[in-house]
């Protein structure tokens, strides 16, 4: 089979039926007229030229087209008109399916002789259309779902947006059952950048691509990641505008040998729109059934001609109000019942965060330089402001703010402004009653008109009912890709590209204090920021060799260089400074107040800095057919990192076509995930819930002296062995099935250890070694190659499209079963109560269960879309299996074993005209909630926060779209 360069895509056999794809990653169907100039010639050459001039994707039977002579085509035509004219009177004809997809077939294969008139574009893709092809997972030719030798999902941009969510991450999780995304109501920085888990792996085990190029990871490290993603530093998918996507390709297979670090669970490739004319304006608004969480989203897209190329740009803006699925905490309720009128209800809020503004931009451009080369560039930019909650600070018990941590009795912390033992003395106030506000000694210091009251200060004067900090931040994200690709001497294809990606998160705290500053403390802080910068250069070469086997063999080689820089920026001075009332165990006159903005102490100048590493890789791919029916693909990648050394990984895929219907596929690969620069260097302190209540936990790099004291060692890469085997049953474009079993064995997984309590002797020893900050820690965690896991599962996807009574139905059912087992745990030395040093597992039993059972073992998504004249109706049924939650990661015997759950989404679309469409929809139509939290009174969460279905209930929305 000959090969032709078409805007740097290849024409290759895509299915067992010997279809050929001329792919330009352009709109699948367009109403606009296009100028054509094609002379009469053989149909294979004419269709190739047609795809080139139309900048579109076209499937046709190559062998038959070689034997057919096509008509000439000169003038301005739509795609349908042009193909009809080009093929009139030949043995070939064009078929248009219910989605508007164009496929050239032999006349005698057409199911209905006349093509159906196209419908408007809005939400018109009704499933995983077989005509769609993907570039992910191969450096050979693009592939369809059924032709791929590894599990692959291709989701059209319109199908992705046919749901209530405005966030692309939630949208994707709604249609791919093997991808799980939990809400993160109160989980430190993970609330700002939610982790996504593909095939039961952590958030940084999935590689994210944009137009086939590696995207940078987020600056956020999920110190509290719900167990599974603790310590992960994955990409931030939510910064990508959903309206800019032509399609999303999800490769559910290990691909580290092809793409490098992180591609253990799979790869998600976001393909940007590349239309060169037209566009749309869209709006969506909705709210939850509870009457909260109101949201509004505006989208705009336009395509422009850039010479003979294109420039496509999309902008999105959205806002969403917070929700509350909370009850009053029992300790706050008890305080109210004593007569304290200052306690808010609820004192602590669990629900969706408040998104004040979320702006996203994406552009995609390409311009041919000559007949053989093309210049391309694309990028994204985003800015999001988010605000959420933290844990409630009880005015009697919160250590370091209200309660003295050094007192064996429950003693109120009081700041003596003129110094302990000097001037006016402050009374000791013991919290023995139900309400300290009624204590006469407290009333003495609370009366600032007296000398004692003016000199003595307790934070109960500011927060008589306690307080709950507000935690949020501003996320800025941007990326830019540019390159040139083309053909060398009619044999080799090349692609030279460079990119830079940037992520910055600046944190913000409100309604809290730096207790050590006393009444000089501000109430809002900027505790610092984190950043991630990645620069990448790629050079790829590929070609086809005829004569080796019955079909051309594909060879690809390449080189990659990447530099990563992680930065930690100090907070404002008030967020970290050690004020005059700071706790100091070495002093008898210490006031006992904790240091730093309470809830998230600011990054100190000594912990600020930038750390970098670089790596380079060389790789080679070979794909060939050993026989007419047996295809083999291999990949080998060697990579060297400046901070820990080298790694070598390989992969082999097999695909065997048994007959016209059944084909088998399998893969075996090794993979790795390099420790990130952030994991190796970050220092962070946060307030977390533990078995004894709130405590300040420090997360430290493994090279920190305190970590080393507790047995930490430098991080090494995670290493995996991935295997899969599956089958594809393809009866026709309207009915096909894929079924795949996978097994992932992952060694030396990088995570944070469970919190290690520090004893007084530990703190004394660390202080004597010069680690002054140890006095401020209740417990520490550090990054380690903690444990080994084995994850196995089955993915099943069934697609069936049929017509009944003039209504077109498209049914897609996807099922995922995933099971993870922890096979090995590291152990670290720790002193017990008797002072003896014993080895303690790095993870608590609850943390192990979170890794194994927090995600539902079974998820099923079944989508039915129906078309009738100007109406479309979508139904999406979701099943979530039961799950386990260690409530608030406290390891405090608050185990939740929640049952399964079913939700139903629906959307009714009315194509008012060719350009204007309205849609009314509901996510979780019947307002179904997970099982209630049996420990809701502890911290006020009405439902388990990690419920895979979410905790907010039903959401209804209205949207409109105008195409031009």
């Amino acid at each position: 089979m000959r090969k032709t360069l078409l805007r740097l895509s290849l024409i290759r056999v895509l299915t067992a039926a010997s279809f050929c794809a001329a792919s330009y990653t352009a709109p699948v169907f367009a109403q606009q007229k296009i100028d054509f100039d094609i002379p009469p010639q053989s149909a294979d050459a004419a269709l190739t030229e047609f795809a080139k001039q139309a900048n579109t994707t076209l499937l046709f039977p190559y062998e038959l087209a070689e034997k057919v002579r096509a008509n000439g085509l000169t003038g301005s035509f739509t795609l349908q008109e042009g193909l009809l004219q080009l093929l009139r009177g030949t043995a070939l004809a064009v078929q248009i399916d219910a989605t508007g997809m164009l496929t050239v077939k032999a006349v005698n294969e057409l199911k209905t002789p006349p093509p159906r008139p196209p419908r408007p574009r809005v939400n018109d893709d009704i499933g995983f259309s077989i005509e769609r092809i993907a570039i992910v997972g191969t450096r050979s030719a693009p592939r369809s779902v059924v032709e791929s030798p590894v599990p692959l999902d291709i989701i059209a941009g319109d199908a992705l947006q046919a749901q209530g969510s405005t966030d692309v991450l939630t949208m994707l999780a709604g249609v791919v059952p093997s991808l799980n995304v939990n809400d993160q109501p109160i989980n430190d920085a993970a609330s700002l950048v939610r982790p996504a888990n593909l095939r039961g792996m952590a958030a940084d085990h999935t590689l994210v691509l944009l137009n086939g190029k590696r995207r940078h990871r987020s600056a956020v490290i999920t110190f509290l990641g719900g167990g599974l993603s603790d310590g992960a530093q994955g990409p931030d998918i939510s910064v990508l505008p959903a309206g800019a996507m032509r399609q999303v390709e999800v490769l559910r297979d290990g691909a580290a040998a092809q793409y490098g670090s992180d591609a253990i669970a799979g790869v998600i490739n976001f393909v940007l729109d590349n239309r060169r004319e037209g566009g749309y304006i869209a709006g969506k608004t909705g709210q939850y059934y509870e009457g909260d969480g109101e949201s509004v989203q505006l989208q705009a897209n336009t395509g422009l001609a850039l010479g003979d190329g294109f420039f496509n740009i999309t902008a999105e803006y959205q806002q969403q109000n917070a929700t509350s699925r909370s009850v009053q905490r029992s300790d706050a309720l008890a305080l109210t019942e004593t007569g304290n009128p200052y306690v808010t209800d609820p004192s602590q809020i669990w629900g969706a965060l408040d998104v004040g503004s979320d702006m996203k931009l994406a552009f995609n451009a390409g311009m041919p330089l000559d007949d053989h080369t093309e210049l391309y560039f694309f990028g994204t930019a985003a800015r999001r402001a988010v605000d959420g909650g933290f844990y409630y600070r009880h005015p009697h018990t919160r250590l370091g703010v209200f309660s003295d941590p050094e007192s064996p009795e429950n003693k109120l912390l009081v700041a003596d402004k003129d110094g302990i033992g000097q001037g006016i003395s402050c009374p000791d106030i013991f919290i023995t009653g139900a309400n300290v506000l009624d204590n006469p000694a407290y009333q003495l210091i609370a009366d600032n008109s007296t000398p004692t009251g003016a000199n003595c200060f307790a934070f109960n004067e500011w927060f008589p009912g306690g307080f709950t900090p507000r935690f949020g931040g501003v996320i800025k994200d941007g990326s830019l890709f540019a390159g040139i690709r083309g053909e060398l001497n009619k044999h080799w294809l090349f692609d030279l590209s460079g990119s830079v990606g940037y992520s910055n998160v600046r944190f913000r705290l409100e309604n809290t204090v730096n207790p050590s500053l006393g009444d000089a403390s501000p109430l809002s802080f900027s505790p610092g920021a984190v950043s991630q910068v990645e620069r990448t250069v790629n050079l790829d070469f590929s070609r086809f060799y005829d004569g080796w086997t019955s079909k051309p063999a594909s060879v690809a080689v390449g080189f990659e260089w990447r530099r990563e820089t992680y930065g930690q920026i100090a907070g404002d001075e008030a967020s970290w400074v050690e004020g005059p009332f700071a706790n100091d165990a070495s002093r008898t006159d210490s006031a006992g107040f904790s240091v730093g903005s309470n809830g998230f102490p600011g990054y100190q100048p000594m912990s600020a800095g930038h750390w970098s590493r670089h790596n380079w890789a060389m790789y080679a791919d070979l794909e060939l057919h050993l026989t007419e029916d047996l295809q083999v693909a291999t990949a080998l990648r060697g990579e060297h990192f400046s901070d820990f050394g080298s790694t070598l990984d390989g992969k082999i895929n097999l695909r065997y076509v048994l007959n016209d219907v059944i084909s088998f596929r399998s893969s075996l690969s090794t993979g790795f995930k390099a420790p990130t620069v952030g994991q190796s260097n970050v220092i962070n302190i946060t307030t977390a819930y533990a078995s004894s209540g709130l405590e300040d936990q420090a997360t430290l790099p493994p090279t920190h002296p305190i970590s080393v004291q507790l047995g930490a060692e430098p991080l090494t890469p995670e290493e995996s062995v991935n295997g899969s085997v599956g089958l594809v049953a393809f009866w026709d474009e309207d009915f096909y099935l894929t079924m795949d079993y996978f097994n992932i064995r992952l060694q030396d997984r990088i995570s944070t250890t469970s919190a290690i309590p520090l004893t007084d002797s530990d703190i004394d020893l660390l202080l004597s070694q010069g680690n002054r900050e140890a006095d401020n820690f209740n417990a520490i965690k550090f990054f380690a190659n903690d444990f080994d896991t084995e994850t196995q599962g089955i993915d099943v996807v069934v697609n069936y499209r049929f017509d009944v009574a003039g209504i077109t139905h498209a049914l897609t059912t996807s099922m995922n079963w995933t099971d993870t087992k922890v096979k090995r745990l590291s152990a670290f030395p720790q002193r017990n109560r008797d002072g003896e040093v014993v080895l303690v597992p790095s993870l608590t039993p609850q943390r192990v269960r979170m890794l194994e059972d927090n995600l539902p073992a079974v998820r099923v998504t079944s989508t039915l879309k129906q078309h009738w004249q100007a109406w479309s109706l979508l139904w999406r049924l979701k099943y979530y299996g039961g799950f386990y939650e260690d409530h608030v990661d406290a390891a405090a015997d608050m185990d939740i074993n929640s049952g399964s759950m079913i939700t139903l989404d629906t959307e009714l679309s009315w194509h008012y005209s060719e350009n204007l469409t309205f849609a009314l929809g509901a996510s979780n139509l019947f307002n179904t909630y997970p099982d209630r939290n049996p420990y809701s009174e502890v911290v006020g969460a009405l439902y388990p926060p990690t419920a895979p279905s979410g905790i907010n209930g039903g959401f209804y929305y209205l949207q409109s779209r105008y195409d031009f």
Side-chain angles (χ1 to χ4, degrees):
M1 182 180 292
R2 79 188 77 171
K3 49 194 175 295
T4 305
L5 177 71
L6 301 181
R7 287 192 188 275
L8 312 181
S9 295
L10 297 174
I11 298 180
R12 289 287 288 123
V13 173
L14 281 192
T15 71
S18 297
F19 272 73
C20 207
S23 174
Y24 295 91
T25 57
V28 177
F29 189 85
Q31 291 297 310
Q32 66 270 16
K33 291 185 180 294
I34 302 167
D35 293 330
F36 292 98
D37 186 10
I38 303 173
Q41 56 189 304
S42 65
D44 62 316
L47 291 170
T48 294
E49 185 63 25
F50 182 92
K52 178 179 179 181
Q53 294 184 19
N55 191 31
T56 192
T57 299
L58 180 65
L59 272 73
F60 62 89
Y62 192 89
E63 288 79 4
L64 179 57
E66 285 183 310
K67 304 173 184 178
V68 173
R69 184 167 179 81
N71 307 308
L73 183 65
T74 302
S76 182
F77 303 90
T78 66
L79 292 181
Q80 178 187 345
E81 293 169 346
L83 282 173
L84 290 174
Q85 175 66 30
L86 194 69
L87 302 175
R88 191 181 306 277
T90 71
L92 298 173
V94 58
Q95 177 174 319
I96 305 174
D97 68 13
T99 72
M101 287 293 303
L102 298 173
T103 305
V104 175
K105 293 185 175 182
V107 172
N108 57 12
E109 292 182 4
L110 293 182
K111 294 184 177 181
T112 56
R116 289 185 298 223
R119 283 189 291 270
R121 179 181 182 276
V122 180
N123 288 341
D124 226 26
D125 194 302
I126 59 172
F128 295 78
S129 177
I130 190 64
E131 286 84 358
R132 289 190 173 272
I133 58 176
I135 63 169
V136 70
T138 179
R139 289 189 173 87
S140 177
R143 291 195 175 102
S144 65
V145 170
V146 297
E147 195 264 351
S148 173
V150 290
L152 175 67
D153 297 325
I154 305 177
I155 302 113
D158 289 337
L160 184 70
Q161 294 200 75
Q163 48 188 310
S165 175
T166 57
D167 173 57
V168 70
L169 178 58
T170 306
M171 292 177 182
L172 196 58
V175 295
V176 179
S178 56
L179 181 68
N180 287 273
V181 180
N182 289 331
D183 288 330
Q184 303 284 336
I186 302 178
N187 250 5
D188 203 61
S191 299
L192 308 185
V193 179
R194 294 183 302 156
N197 309 110
L198 182 65
R199 280 189 160 180
M201 297 282 100
D204 52 5
H205 290 142
T206 300
L207 178 64
V208 174
L209 307 177
L210 187 67
N211 280 359
K213 305 294 183 180
R214 174 188 281 266
R215 263 187 63 84
H216 59 282
R217 68 179 79 252
S218 168
V220 165
I221 299 174
T222 55
F223 302 106
L224 301 174
L228 179 59
S229 290
D230 285 353
Q233 188 183 1
D236 186 1
I237 296 176
S238 65
V239 298
L240 299 174
M245 301 306 155
R246 185 171 62 85
Q247 65 185 37
V248 182
E249 304 161 1
V250 182
L251 176 67
R252 294 176 275 112
D253 193 60
Q258 296 167 294
Y259 297 105
S261 179
D262 302 351
I264 289 178
V267 179
I268 302 177
N269 181 36
F270 293 89
V271 183
L272 296 175
D273 197 342
N274 62 356
R275 291 176 296 172
R276 65 195 306 266
E277 63 181 10
Y280 69 87
I281 299 173
K284 179 188 292 186
T285 184
Q287 68 174 30
Y288 287 97
Y289 287 15
E290 294 288 335
D292 56 7
E294 301 90 342
S295 71
V296 60
Q297 181 190 55
L298 301 174
Q299 296 175 318
N301 167 274
T302 187
L304 305 170
L306 189 63
D308 291 333
F310 68 94
F311 182 85
N312 191 281
I313 185 168
T314 304
E316 280 189 8
Y317 175 82
Q318 70 180 63
Q319 289 182 323
Q320 181 161 2
N321 293 337
T323 65
S324 176
R325 303 295 178 266
S326 316
V327 296
Q328 184 65 302
R329 292 170 48 134
S330 58
D331 55 352
L333 182 62
L335 195 61
T336 300
E337 291 173 347
T338 67
N340 188 324
Y342 304 103
V343 183
T344 58
D345 187 7
S347 58
Q348 182 174 324
I349 295 177
W350 295 86
L353 276 65
D354 184 90
V355 180
S357 64
D358 189 358
M359 295 173 284
K360 305 171 187 176
L361 180 74
F363 69 92
N364 189 22
M367 182 175 64
L369 301 179
D370 55 38
D371 290 341
H372 301 287
T373 56
E374 179 189 40
L375 180 68
Y376 63 91
F377 49 98
F378 54 92
T380 61
R383 183 188 185 276
R384 180 169 72 244
V386 181
D387 179 64
F390 251 7
Y391 289 103
Y392 169 64
R393 272 65 175 163
H394 193 283
H396 292 179
T397 61
R398 181 62 177 110
L399 295 176
V401 183
F402 299 108
S403 179
D404 189 347
E406 302 298 329
S407 173
E409 302 174 275
N410 194 10
K411 180 181 176 182
L412 188 70
L413 275 176
V414 178
D416 190 332
K417 297 180 185 180
D418 62 8
I420 296 178
Q422 301 181 27
I424 300 175
S425 298
C426 296
D428 289 334
I429 303 172
F430 295 97
I431 309 173
T432 55
N435 186 356
V436 72
L437 302 183
D438 298 330
N439 189 310
Y442 170 76
Q443 292 174 351
L444 179 65
I445 70 166
D447 185 359
N448 292 325
S449 64
T450 68
T452 299
N455 179 62
C456 304
F457 172 77
F459 279 106
N460 303 69
E461 299 177 52
W462 284 6
F463 306 107
F467 67 97
T468 304
R470 299 291 299 173
F471 175 74
V474 175
I475 301 164
K476 296 180 181 179
D477 191 283
S479 63
L480 179 63
F481 301 79
I484 184 172
R485 55 193 174 191
E487 185 178 17
L488 297 174
N489 61 28
K490 298 183 180 180
H491 293 292
W492 285 95
L493 303 178
F494 76 92
D495 187 344
L496 174 63
S497 66
S499 68
V500 59
Y502 172 72
S503 172
N504 176 278
V505 181
R506 180 164 292 278
F507 302 112
R508 185 74 180 168
L509 273 172
E510 307 281 349
N511 197 45
T512 189
V513 294
N514 179 342
S516 69
L517 293 174
D519 61 355
S521 173
L523 296 179
S524 62
F525 302 85
S526 177
V530 289
S531 65
Q532 176 83 11
V533 179
E534 296 183 26
R535 303 170 180 88
T536 305
V537 176
N538 284 95
L539 178 59
D540 300 309
F541 297 95
S542 61
R543 67 165 295 175
F544 287 89
Y545 283 95
D546 293 309
W548 288 9
T549 56
S550 60
K551 297 181 180 179
S554 168
V555 176
V557 295
F559 170 85
E560 179 179 276
W561 174 87
R562 188 167 79 254
R563 181 177 178 84
E564 302 177 54
T565 300
Y566 177 80
Q568 192 162 279
I569 298 93
D572 58 36
E573 184 178 12
S575 70
W576 54 263
V577 69
E578 188 174 303
F581 308 107
N583 181 42
D584 188 344
S586 64
R587 292 170 48 194
T588 58
D589 60 348
S590 170
F593 288 89
S594 62
V595 177
S597 46
N598 192 258
F600 194 105
Y603 296 130
Q604 300 182 30
M606 62 179 295
S607 64
H610 289 80
W611 301 270
S612 299
R613 73 147 178 248
H614 67 269
N615 66 287
W616 58 263
M618 297 185 68
Y619 44 87
D621 293 359
L622 173 64
E623 298 186 23
L624 50 81
H625 285 76
L626 296 182
T627 68
E628 190 71 22
D629 299 321
L630 180 60
Q631 179 185 357
V632 179
T634 62
L636 187 67
R637 186 184 186 95
E639 200 151 346
H640 177 79
F641 289 79
S642 60
D643 54 352
F644 65 80
S646 302
T647 180
L648 180 66
D649 292 282
K651 180 175 183 177
I652 182 169
N653 298 329
L654 298 175
R655 180 173 181 268
Y656 179 70
V657 179
L658 180 66
N659 52 42
D660 290 341
V661 175
I662 303 295
S663 61
F664 296 97
R665 58 190 183 188
S666 64
S667 72
L668 181 65
S669 65
T670 60
F672 75 103
K673 191 197 81 67
T676 71
V677 183
Q679 290 169 334
S680 298
N681 295 279
V682 69
I683 297 176
N684 182 76
I685 305 171
T686 190
T687 301
Y689 208 86
S691 57
S692 58
L694 289 184
E695 67 177 19
D696 293 329
Q697 298 177 356
T699 302
L700 306 175
T703 54
H704 193 280
I706 296 179
S707 303
V708 174
Q709 177 75 23
L710 295 172
E713 298 178 350
L715 298 177
T716 60
E718 304 177 8
E719 297 183 348
S720 70
V721 176
N722 293 50
S724 70
V725 61
L727 66 85
V728 176
F730 177 65
W731 289 272
D732 55 37
E733 291 90 342
D734 293 335
F735 187 30
Y736 61 94
L737 171 149
T738 66
M739 180 183 298
D740 298 274
Y741 166 82
F742 63 91
N743 185 287
I744 306 171
R745 299 189 178 191
L746 188 54
Q747 295 181 331
D748 297 327
R749 285 184 63 163
I750 297 170
S751 181
T752 55
T753 63
S754 293
I756 302 173
L758 292 178
T759 64
D760 291 340
S761 59
D762 288 333
I763 294 174
D764 292 341
L765 177 61
L766 293 167
L767 290 172
S768 69
Q769 295 174 343
N771 299 297
R772 178 68 186 86
E773 67 271 29
D775 202 25
N776 299 315
F777 303 157
N778 300 114
I780 74 158
K781 301 184 289 185
F782 56 85
F783 287 92
N785 293 98
D786 263 353
F787 53 96
D788 301 342
T789 59
E790 180 179 3
T791 300
Q792 61 179 336
I794 296 175
D795 290 318
V796 179
V797 181
V798 181
N799 291 270
Y800 182 42
R801 187 167 52 216
F802 56 96
D803 291 341
V804 176
I807 301 176
T808 299
H809 302 72
L811 176 65
T812 298
T813 299
S814 303
M815 185 277 287
N816 169 259
W817 167 75
T818 299
D819 176 74
T820 295
K821 297 296 182 186
V822 175
K823 294 295 186 179
R824 180 193 65 84
L825 283 177
S826 299
F828 299 96
Q830 184 176 324
R831 293 183 183 275
N832 60 22
R833 294 181 178 179
D834 298 326
E836 299 175 330
V837 177
V838 296
L839 291 177
V840 176
S842 60
L843 304 181
T844 63
Q846 292 88 347
R847 177 83 176 277
V848 171
R849 281 206 66 189
M850 287 290 284
L851 286 162
E852 295 182 339
D853 301 324
N854 181 235
L855 299 181
V858 177
R859 272 196 61 192
V860 180
T861 299
S862 186
T863 302
L864 174 66
K865 190 160 188 181
Q866 301 166 297
H867 284 275
W868 180 73
Q869 295 183 359
W871 297 89
S872 298
L873 182 59
L874 179 142
W875 304 92
R876 181 176 289 120
L877 187 71
K878 302 176 187 175
Y879 170 83
Y880 303 88
F883 67 98
Y884 163 81
E885 177 182 300
D886 171 27
H887 191 43
V888 294
D889 296 324
D893 295 324
M894 291 189 290
D895 296 334
I896 299 175
N897 294 285
S898 189
S900 59
M901 180 173 166
I902 296 176
T903 65
L904 178 66
D905 303 344
T906 186
E907 180 180 286
L908 176 65
S909 298
W910 177 34
H911 305 295
Y912 175 77
S913 68
E914 184 177 341
N915 303 102
L916 183 60
T917 298
F918 299 98
L920 176 66
S923 297
N924 192 353
L925 178 65
F926 297 112
N927 198 30
T928 307
Y929 286 96
D931 294 343
R932 288 180 66 109
N933 174 16
Y935 309 102
S936 60
E937 76 284 353
V938 177
V939 291
L942 186 56
Y943 305 103
T946 64
S949 58
I951 63 173
N952 289 301
F955 181 88
Y956 60 88
Y957 60 94
L958 176 67
Q959 60 181 344
S960 61
R961 173 165 166 160
Y962 180 77
D963 286 81
F964 56 87

